Amino acid sequence: MLHRRLALIDMGTNTFHLLIVELADDGRTAPRTLLRTKVGVRLGEGGISAGRIAEPAYERALHALLGFREEIELHQVNDVRATATSAMRVTENGPALVKDIFEQTGIRVEVIGGDREAELICAGVRQAVPLGPECHLIMDIGGGSVEFILANDTTIFWKRSFEIGAQRLLDKFFPEPSGIMPAEAIVAEQQYLAETLAPLAAALAEFPPVSLIGASGSFDSLADMQLGQLRTEAELPPSTELALGSFRHSYNQLLSLNHEQRKALPGILPMRADMLVVASVLIDYVLQLTGLTRIRTSAYALKEGLLAEML
């Protein structure tokens, strides 16, 4: 008898993720992971700030989905769920890419809104980090958008998606990624965040969190830097305690090095070498805003949330 196998695809602005699981017949046992992989697509590179997906990024997206299609066939998957977020949501040629993906791979992509994205991220994080009854601030830094969720294990108190992802911040504040981010650019980014994230500041006053939980992406990279080694998607534990001292050390390193030096740091994915600079300025801003000292990472995010919801 063929077991039910699910493929979950999360098409982010930086990275496309694929998770393939086999569901247990009894409906109670946790699904068995058959494949967990990701591809750096950089869908937002060279175009997202201007409102379109650039041609090379468009081609990379199609290439990645054709690769995923092969894995899906190889694993004899019965059901595929694919979601796309910020880059597909806001670009003029996002709908054309959705159409091309379906025509070339047969994969139907659902483009989801920011609120829905935040909900799914929260559901995914709950699978990795035991939240308990206290309120936590969950943060997911994508390439196109950043989601903030104030939640405990049962309730979402507040959630919001802001179109201030790492690729956008890079385009706006770091015009020369081959070099060191200048001090005035850091100040400019901090001022921009203070204005843009005013609704977050208001929510934090109403629902004060006890810790910061960073979902996937940049937070996984910071956890790898803490360890001093780059791990594959499959090697990541569900959650990692990120020491505040380790974050400060990584942040100072990222700010003081140029692109080539950043790329050479142990634990850094070359694709993230520049984005991690602007993302760390954002994390540092949030830590200052909240006064939080405990940071945990969650390797689970949107696709695990989708799986939890389907089960």
Side-chain angles (χ1 to χ4, degrees), residues 211-240:
S211 82
L212 173 64
I213 298 165
S216 72
S218 299
F219 286 96
D220 285 343
S221 293
L222 289 163
D224 282 349
M225 285 179 79
Q226 174 175 265
L227 193 66
Q229 96 183 58
L230 187 61
R231 292 169 292 179
T232 65
E233 189 86 339
E235 288 169 335
L236 286 173
S239 177
T240 301

Side-chain angles (χ1 to χ4, degrees), residues 102-153:
F102 180 66
E103 283 174 2
Q104 293 187 29
T105 68
I107 295 170
R108 281 188 195 281
V109 177
E110 182 194 358
V111 180
I112 60 171
D115 261 16
R116 172 85 175 125
E117 189 178 350
E119 266 169 34
L120 289 171
I121 288 162
C122 184
V125 167
R126 282 175 176 151
Q127 310 304 308
V129 185
L131 297 184
E134 293 180 301
C135 179
H136 302 265
L137 174 60
I138 297 167
M139 176 179 181
D140 187 314
I141 305 173
S145 62
V146 179
E147 282 67 45
F148 291 99
I149 305 115
L150 287 159
N152 64 11
D153 58 357

Side-chain angles (χ1 to χ4, degrees), residues 18-37:
L18 170 64
L19 173 65
I20 297 178
V21 297
E22 185 173 272
L23 304 186
D25 292 334
D26 62 11
R28 287 188 302 275
T29 315
R32 187 164 70 93
T33 299
L34 303 178
L35 179 72
R36 179 186 286 279
T37 188

